[in-house]
Amino acid sequence: MNMELSRRQFLGAAGAGVAGTALGAFGFGEIEAAHAEAIRAFKLVNTTETRNTCPYCSVACGIIMYSKGDLKKGEKAEITHIEGDTDHPTNRGTLCPKGAALLDFVKAETRLKYPMIRKPGSDKFERIAWNDALDRIVRLMKDDRDANFVQKNNDGVTVNRWTTTGFLAASATTNETAFATYKVVRSAGMLVFDNQARV
Amino acid sequence: MTNSWTDIKNTDLVVIMGGNAAEAHPCGFKWVTEAKANRGARLIVVDPRFTRSASVADVYAPIRQGSDIAFLLGVINYCIQNDKVHWDYVKAFTNATYIVKDGFEYKDGLFSGYDETKRDYDKSSWEYVIGEDGYAQVDDTLTNPRCVWNLLKTHVSIYTPEMVERICGTPRDKFLKVAEMISECSSPIKTMTSMYALGWTQHSKGSQNIRSMAMLQLILGNIGVRGGGMNALRGHSNIQGLTDVGLMSNLLPGYLTLPTEKEVDFDSYMSTRAFKPLRPNQMSYWQNYKKFFVSVLKSMWGSAATPENHFAYDWLPKLDVPGYDVLRAFELMNQGKMTGYMCQGFNPLLAAPNRTKLTASLSKLKFLVTMDPLDTETARFWENHGEFNDVDPSQIQTEVIQLPSTCFAEDEGSLTNSGRWLQWHWPGGTPPGEAKTDNWIMAQIHIRLKELYRKEGGVFPDPIVNLDWAYADPAEPSAEELAKELNGKAYATLYDPTDPTKVVVEAGKRVPSFAALRDDGSTSCGCWIYSGCFNENGNNMARRDTSDPDETGAYSKWAFSWPVNRRILYNRASADLNGKAWDPSRKLIEWDGQKWSGYDVPDIAPTAKPSEVGPFIMNPEGVSRLFVRGMMRDGPFPAHYEPFESPVTNLVAPNVRGNPAARVFKGDFEQFAEPASEEFPYAATSYRLTEHFHYWTKHVWVNAVLQPEFFVEISEELASEKGIVKGGWVRVWSKRGSIRAKAVVTKRIKPLMCDGKAVHVVGIPLHWGFTGAAKKGFGPNSLTPFVGDANIETPEYKAFLVNIEPVAGPVA
Ligand code: SF4
Ligand code: SF4
């Protein structure tokens, strides 16, 4: 590769001043620094870094997500790159073929974007507004609960259980979501409640 | 895991059996490589397939799937016969010396008390002899024929190397090599770690597979030490957490259990949870049960849970059966006894067994709700996808609502890794379209349901309308608020019970740990084992200090490990009866004459004298159990049972089919192939590939390219017997379903010789369906039987019977 610095590249590099300063601090001479900058503006310079962990297996490798835009500042943020977190004691920056492709999970074509409803007997999903979807769900839940909730068993013991609607919880939601879910499901009296631990 | 990923570097011997860490947990497996490179550790892999874990092993031993207990009891027998036992550990830290009731026996494959019609045991004889002092009787000399050690010795004596070879198909010399290497770890200065995963759990006796290894680890003195332990490699990123927080039919958070309808009130519930010590001086930590239980009820119902209403005990639903697990749920659906089902991040149409039954069951629901970041087969179970989902939508009346949720990258909170580390993560991206967090969705369901009850009235609204939901934004509780609830707080100022002038926690503050919790309603705590995760020091789960004094692998300041930031469970057992490390080079905690201290948070009261208080503080015995009394449904010792579908009959108990205590629903038994069936002669198993994660990564372009297409894996011998060519199409069918796949003909699988019969193994990976970027395909669940483990109902995915034949491929 031809590493010579053209005048156009040199001028183009002037905008990447921050990186230039950092390279200088690492002991590069000014010329070398300018040279290095000019080759290609580092694609992650203007991104926000966020620490996260791989959502797949329980090794829970540390990852760094780079995004254009900063959620903390109330901006829209688009994740543009994900890599292993070199500080993480377990994976020390490495990722397996699953973790290494996480960006494509975040951006998968089959990510769901809108609530959908499939009516009885229909052969398609149709859009539904969140408000309508949620109202419909609690309507269905309440009708069933009111019809089938068991307050006392045959021996007259208070049992307060609901076994005709069930809930399957996830395996990759946070502990905090898990607790919120627990409260909502149990307070309704549901017993048909399970998670993916078994499979 | 009792230990952590980073602790594996401290081991001398890794046994991977019932898992395939190199492919399923690649970055964790690096710690095995580390131990091999830096400590000279060795690796044993026991598996029906020559996996990538096996390819870097020092010894690989093939085994027929579903015969692990015979193998492991064979190793225990070898250790006992060759006096390879960590005697000081076994005598002091296990119940080897405890005397068992006279009525207990094991005969013809069954333990005492079996009731064939109920498929269940009367377990009353599986108990210790209790002396007049109220304590279990022991014989320190181990001469009493009824002591646990002698019963165990007899129980395992039938599992000779010859018997192991006949049952498991493991060549005798391979088995002996493995047994010899393992037995060397009975030395106090050698340790072994067990790494396992669903290869052990997905059997009708999965729990007993794991128990067998746990017993072996106790006999070798490898529990509680650095580089040792029982290390379950959990499949999903937070399945540990979901279980810890109690999202299972019969659980409350922190492994407390939901009442059954026999426990008619608070006092009768508590009476069976007193956990009185079974030996003098023992901590029997579950004696604190009431504090944890009352604190959970307070976290649910806050000020509405009062001493007068027994902290709303009646508002908890009471069980009439052991549990409504996912198998029972589908059984009930299939019987038409369910109206609705809600799936949050779970794709049961591919994850639960016997797909035909699943589709029929879902079709009988009135409504199905799914919440997922990705499209799932479950949400589209009604949609026709040719042979991959052969249904007629017009015949399915189920109303389906599919809700889009955020993924990890757009969400905040903690996940619990396999090593029990709660690690906080932050959102970095804006969710696509109208996708919402699960917290928001669950809050919306709760708020709207509550509103309907307020407006319309209805059946028993009390627990819903009184649920403590005092979040800053009730429409979306924040991760931090919920984490603080999990940690727990004091409603009133708490004083030291031994010194009432000393304030432990001020009113309104979060508790430092579960030690501060009370049973009088003055504290709340969502999950006692997580207490300390977000105390007044801040969010300990977000800690990122990588210091590791003396490089023990503990990383005590990284994130938070439950309980109380302890990194190795039972770590008191790393030291001898005087409190000195068994292995001075692997010191963990030691007794200095006054107290315990070291690299980890001691798993014992800091001032508990080593000669008096046993290390297994959760057990009323103070020691670990080689004989587990009546705590497991299928026996106080493991015993070899064949899978429900087995290519051979049970050699040690010819009249017993499957696990005699496993639950089988009516109608499912008829759908099992006969033992040694001629119609279904091949032993199938399921597994993961390193390029894929369950049914998620088929949506991910890169992974869909890396492994685009469903296949089954068979040996060269079976291929030539059946006229199947490499890359050719085959049909594989069981008594429950049929699939079509390309054949991978491999040297990684070889026929096993079991008691003179060649058993062929068919391997079926599990990553395909009809949504996503990969080619459409099938999952093993189109074939697998609808039966689970006797104790916890994990479906028997790893051992079932199929037939196979070459077929013409699809028209291109
Ligand atoms: S193939 Fe993978 S391991 Fe090899 S150099 Fe590339 S990224 Fe690294
Ligand atoms: S990168 Fe691979 S090994 Fe690491 S957590 Fe993700 S799936 Fe597991």
Side-chain angles (χ1 to χ4, degrees):
Chain A
M1 205 205 301
N2 180 8
M3 300 289 277
E4 277 310 303
L5 197 59
S6 75
R7 182 176 159 70
R8 196 171 61 82
Q9 283 172 320
F10 184 74
L11 291 177
V18 182
T21 316
L23 287 172
F26 282 116
F28 285 87
E30 253 175 66
I31 295 293
E32 291 93 329
H35 188 132
E37 287 161 24
I39 293 164
R40 180 167 174 256
F42 185 45
K43 72 170 176 181
L44 303 178
V45 165
N46 291 316
T47 55
T48 308
E49 284 182 30
T50 311
R51 307 273 163 166
N52 207 306
T53 50
C54 174
Y56 294 136
C57 88
S58 64
V59 178
C61 293
I63 55 173
I64 306 175
M65 307 186 299
Y66 296 84
S67 26
K68 279 192 221 140
D70 189 347
L71 286 182
K72 285 192 216 75
K73 293 184 189 148
E75 299 168 358
K76 269 195 173 293
E78 187 198 348
I79 297 174
T80 53
H81 178 68
I82 295 178
E83 66 186 28
D85 180 354
T86 47
D87 291 336
H88 197 285
T90 310
N91 63 310
R92 306 218 170 151
T94 64
L95 294 175
C96 82
K98 297 170 280 270
L102 274 173
L103 185 64
D104 278 2
F105 167 22
V106 177
K107 300 190 157 194
E109 259 179 52
T110 36
R111 277 293 301 269
L112 302 178
K113 296 179 185 67
Y114 306 101
M116 299 293 223
I117 187 162
R118 180 265 179 186
K119 305 216 174 91
S122 164
D123 63 356
K124 60 178 186 300
F125 264 135
E126 298 160 59
R127 284 272 298 268
I128 179 172
W130 266 110
N131 199 41
D132 298 340
L134 291 161
D135 279 346
R136 178 72 188 146
I137 290 167
V138 294
R139 178 80 269 157
L140 288 161
M141 287 172 77
K142 183 167 186 289
D143 287 353
D144 179 53
R145 188 176 181 274
D146 284 348
N148 293 311
F149 192 85
V150 182
Q151 287 185 270
K152 289 195 190 296
N153 67 8
N154 292 338
D155 300 329
V157 175
T158 300
V159 294
N160 286 330
R161 61 176 171 242
W162 180 23
T163 60
T164 48
T165 289
F167 196 99
L168 262 185
S171 52
T173 53
T174 63
N175 294 317
E176 293 70 29
T177 292
F179 188 55
T181 303
Y182 193 92
K183 287 177 81 164
V184 173
V185 171
R186 272 298 191 243
S187 63
M190 271 194 223
L191 277 181
V192 187
F193 188 22
D194 206 354
N195 71 41
Q196 208 140 359
R198 295 182 215 272
V199 289
Chain B
M1 288 168 94
T2 55
N3 296 42
S4 67
W5 290 107
T6 48
D7 173 68
I8 293 169
K9 72 169 183 176
N10 296 315
T11 199
D12 299 306
L13 178 65
V14 181
V15 175
I16 296 183
M17 183 171 174
N20 174 18
E23 289 176 78
H25 301 86
C27 298
F29 183 79
K30 287 184 185 129
W31 293 98
V32 176
T33 315
E34 187 85 4
K36 278 172 72 91
N38 295 336
R39 275 192 77 87
R42 291 187 295 170
L43 170 62
I44 292 172
V45 173
V46 183
D47 200 289
R49 279 190 315 140
F50 186 78
T51 60
R52 288 181 194 169
S53 301
S55 72
V56 289
D58 297 277
V59 176
Y60 163 69
I63 184 174
R64 178 169 60 86
Q65 63 269 35
S67 67
D68 303 67
I69 291 172
F71 190 102
L72 292 166
L73 296 187
V75 178
I76 292 178
N77 186 38
Y78 178 95
C79 291
I80 294 176
Q81 296 303 323
N82 293 282
D83 196 24
K84 295 286 191 181
V85 174
H86 190 332
W87 280 113
D88 291 337
Y89 190 106
V90 166
K91 284 184 186 163
F93 295 167
T94 76
N95 65 357
T97 57
Y98 286 49
I99 317 284
V100 173
K101 278 188 179 176
D102 275 341
F104 168 75
E105 65 165 354
Y106 169 82
K107 217 172 131 226
D108 302 329
L110 297 168
F111 295 91
S112 40
Y114 189 62
D115 180 337
E116 201 178 342
T117 51
K118 289 194 198 148
R119 298 186 60 81
D120 204 357
Y121 285 100
D122 167 358
K123 302 193 267 294
S124 52
S125 65
W126 309 358
E127 265 303 340
Y128 306 135
V129 175
I130 303 293
E132 279 170 11
D133 57 1
Y135 291 122
Q137 292 199 341
V138 301
D139 169 25
D140 289 330
T141 65
L142 298 182
T143 47
N144 188 320
R146 297 296 298 173
C147 76
V148 166
W149 187 255
N150 290 325
L151 292 175
L152 174 66
K153 205 164 143 179
T154 312
H155 184 76
V156 299
S157 62
I158 53 171
Y159 302 97
T160 59
E162 294 71 29
M163 185 57 93
V164 170
E165 179 168 27
R166 288 173 64 198
I167 296 174
C168 307
T170 311
R172 194 168 172 271
D173 60 325
K174 286 273 181 199
F175 169 76
L176 284 170
K177 180 72 196 158
V178 169
E180 186 216 313
M181 284 168 74
I182 290 177
S183 72
E184 283 169 21
C185 295
S186 58
S187 155
I189 57 164
K190 265 193 181 281
T191 188
M192 160 178 122
T193 183
S194 159
M195 296 170 73
Y196 67 92
L198 282 82
W200 268 355
T201 60
Q202 289 182 327
H203 292 278
S204 49
K205 67 277 180 169
S207 308
Q208 296 281 16
N209 284 337
I210 297 157
R211 254 202 76 66
S212 307
M213 180 54 106
M215 290 163 63
L216 176 58
Q217 284 289 62
L218 289 169
I219 289 167
L220 301 171
N222 286 336
I223 298 286
V225 303
R226 278 165 59 189
M230 283 302 291
N231 294 305
L233 316 181
R234 308 300 310 252
H236 296 224
S237 60
N238 203 33
I239 208 54
Q240 185 66 48
L242 268 285
T243 314
D244 296 340
V245 182
L247 283 81
M248 292 182 112
S249 179
N250 64 329
L251 290 185
L252 286 157
Y255 301 99
L256 310 180
T257 48
L258 206 65
T260 71
E261 61 187 6
K262 296 211 177 74
E263 288 148 348
V264 295
D265 55 28
F266 187 94
D267 292 334
S268 62
Y269 173 81
M270 278 313 307
S271 71
T272 59
R273 290 161 177 89
F275 304 103
K276 195 170 97 42
L278 278 164
R279 294 293 300 160
N281 298 321
Q282 300 312 313
M283 285 177 71
S284 190
Y285 202 79
W286 279 119
Q287 288 184 98
N288 295 297
Y289 193 99
K290 194 172 168 193
K291 300 174 186 170
F292 310 147
F293 179 57
V294 171
S295 297
V296 168
L297 293 174
K298 291 295 290 182
S299 76
M300 293 279 298
W301 289 295
S303 55
T306 63
E308 291 70 45
N309 70 2
H310 297 290
F311 306 104
Y313 176 81
D314 281 348
W315 294 359
L316 287 174
K318 311 288 181 293
L319 286 158
D320 55 339
V321 292
Y324 287 88
D325 54 281
V326 63
L327 295 185
R328 189 184 295 276
F330 276 96
E331 172 66 21
L332 289 172
M333 265 180 238
N334 200 32
Q335 291 176 18
K337 290 185 179 158
M338 286 189 64
T339 311
Y341 208 45
M342 305 169 78
C343 301
Q344 176 194 52
F346 195 151
N347 192 3
L349 188 68
L350 293 184
N354 193 354
R355 172 119 167 238
T356 311
K357 181 166 174 172
L358 303 177
T359 303
S361 304
L362 291 170
S363 304
K364 290 176 187 165
L365 287 173
K366 180 169 166 56
F367 71 95
L368 171 72
V369 178
T370 66
M371 308 164 204
D372 248 294
L374 294 165
D375 209 356
T376 63
E377 282 70 12
T378 302
R380 292 182 183 271
F381 81 93
W382 44 269
E383 195 170 65
N384 187 291
H385 288 263
E387 62 174 320
F388 303 103
N389 201 47
D390 194 8
V391 294
D392 176 357
S394 70
Q395 296 306 304
I396 297 174
Q397 298 308 312
T398 313
E399 179 171 335
V400 182
I401 299 176
Q402 182 186 45
L403 304 177
S405 67
T406 53
C407 77
F408 72 101
E410 299 130 13
D411 195 16
E412 177 166 2
S414 66
L415 305 178
T416 307
N417 80 0
S418 223
R420 296 169 291 102
W421 296 4
L422 284 75
Q423 304 189 101
W424 197 263
H425 67 79
W426 291 265
T430 306
E434 295 178 2
K436 293 286 193 182
T437 65
D438 287 273
N439 286 357
W440 183 86
I441 298 172
M442 293 313 296
Q444 291 299 320
I445 290 175
H446 170 63
I447 293 171
R448 285 164 198 252
L449 194 58
K450 184 160 59 183
E451 195 47 38
L452 275 190
Y453 273 100
R454 284 207 178 120
K455 244 176 29 209
E456 301 174 356
V459 178
F460 198 55
D462 309 41
I464 298 174
V465 297
N466 286 304
L467 186 68
D468 187 8
W469 204 258
Y471 304 104
D473 177 6
E476 186 164 20
S478 75
E480 287 208 352
E481 286 173 298
L482 290 159
K484 287 173 184 172
E485 271 193 292
L486 286 166
N487 180 86
K489 67 170 185 216
Y491 291 106
T493 300
L494 306 178
Y495 300 93
D496 188 335
T498 57
D499 177 3
T501 62
K502 235 174 89 191
V503 171
V504 185
V505 188
E506 280 174 44
K509 296 272 189 222
R510 294 191 297 281
V511 295
S513 79
F514 52 73
L517 297 176
R518 301 288 160 92
D519 61 11
D520 58 2
S522 58
T523 57
S524 86
C525 177
C527 181
W528 73 276
I529 56 176
Y530 281 7
S531 190
C533 67
F534 204 137
N535 53 23
E536 294 292 335
N537 296 337
N539 185 349
N540 295 314
M541 300 171 282
R543 296 184 307 165
R544 293 184 55 85
D545 181 337
T546 55
S547 59
D548 184 26
D550 297 335
E551 299 188 352
T552 67
Y555 295 98
S556 298
K557 293 179 179 171
W558 179 273
F560 174 83
S561 178
W562 74 258
V564 288
N565 204 34
R566 186 170 294 130
R567 304 285 155 153
I568 296 183
L569 294 179
Y570 317 113
N571 59 31
R572 156 66 187 93
S574 67
D576 63 18
L577 270 178
N578 301 314
K580 288 278 157 251
W582 294 112
D583 178 356
S585 79
R586 258 186 296 230
K587 186 182 135 176
L588 189 45
I589 61 162
E590 284 189 327
W591 174 254
D592 66 6
Q594 323 284 308
K595 61 172 190 328
W596 291 96
S597 64
Y599 296 110
D600 197 3
V601 179
D603 199 351
I604 191 106
T607 56
K609 292 207 179 78
S611 52
E612 286 179 5
V613 185
F616 291 85
I617 61 169
M618 302 310 287
N619 296 349
E621 295 94 329
V623 296
S624 57
R625 306 183 188 103
L626 296 170
F627 175 89
V628 75
R629 301 157 57 204
M631 304 177 86
M632 292 180 82
R633 286 195 62 227
D634 47 357
F637 290 134
H640 168 66
Y641 298 117
E642 286 296 334
F644 275 93
E645 289 194 330
S646 172
V648 298
T649 49
N650 189 330
L651 270 182
V652 298
N655 296 323
V656 179
R657 186 155 166 214
N659 181 342
R663 177 192 70 192
V664 184
F665 293 112
K666 209 167 154 280
D668 289 322
F669 227 116
E670 293 79 84
Q671 289 209 346
F672 298 154
E674 295 295 319
S677 161
E678 277 174 27
E679 203 184 340
F680 300 100
Y682 307 118
T685 192
S686 67
Y687 57 89
R688 269 161 57 161
L689 302 174
T690 200
E691 295 83 1
H692 275 299
F693 184 76
H694 292 260
Y695 312 106
W696 304 15
T697 51
K698 63 183 162 62
H699 293 265
V700 177
W701 184 250
V702 171
N703 304 97
V705 169
L706 289 173
Q707 282 287 3
E709 190 167 15
F710 177 53
F711 63 85
V712 299
E713 192 171 346
I714 56 168
S715 68
E716 292 174 339
E717 291 82 355
L718 181 59
S720 77
E721 224 173 80
K722 305 295 286 188
I724 295 165
V725 294
K726 245 184 195 142
W729 286 92
V730 290
R731 182 170 85 96
V732 181
W733 71 104
S734 74
K735 212 162 174 186
R736 296 155 297 272
S738 171
I739 60 175
R740 205 165 44 81
K742 276 203 174 154
V744 166
V745 179
T746 164
K747 292 188 197 305
R748 292 188 294 209
I749 290 178
K750 293 228 185 303
L752 294 152
M753 286 306 291
C754 299
D755 205 23
K757 175 182 175 180
V759 173
H760 291 285
V761 175
V762 177
I764 305 176
L766 53 74
H767 303 290
W768 286 270
F770 57 83
T771 67
K775 288 190 184 171
K776 289 182 186 183
F778 299 90
N781 80 328
S782 294
L783 307 172
T784 54
F786 200 85
V787 63
D789 168 67
N791 290 281
I792 50 147
E793 305 301 347
T794 299
E796 187 149 70
Y797 263 113
K798 290 296 183 243
F800 57 99
L801 293 180
V802 296
N803 206 338
I804 189 168
E805 66 181 8
V807 290
V811 188

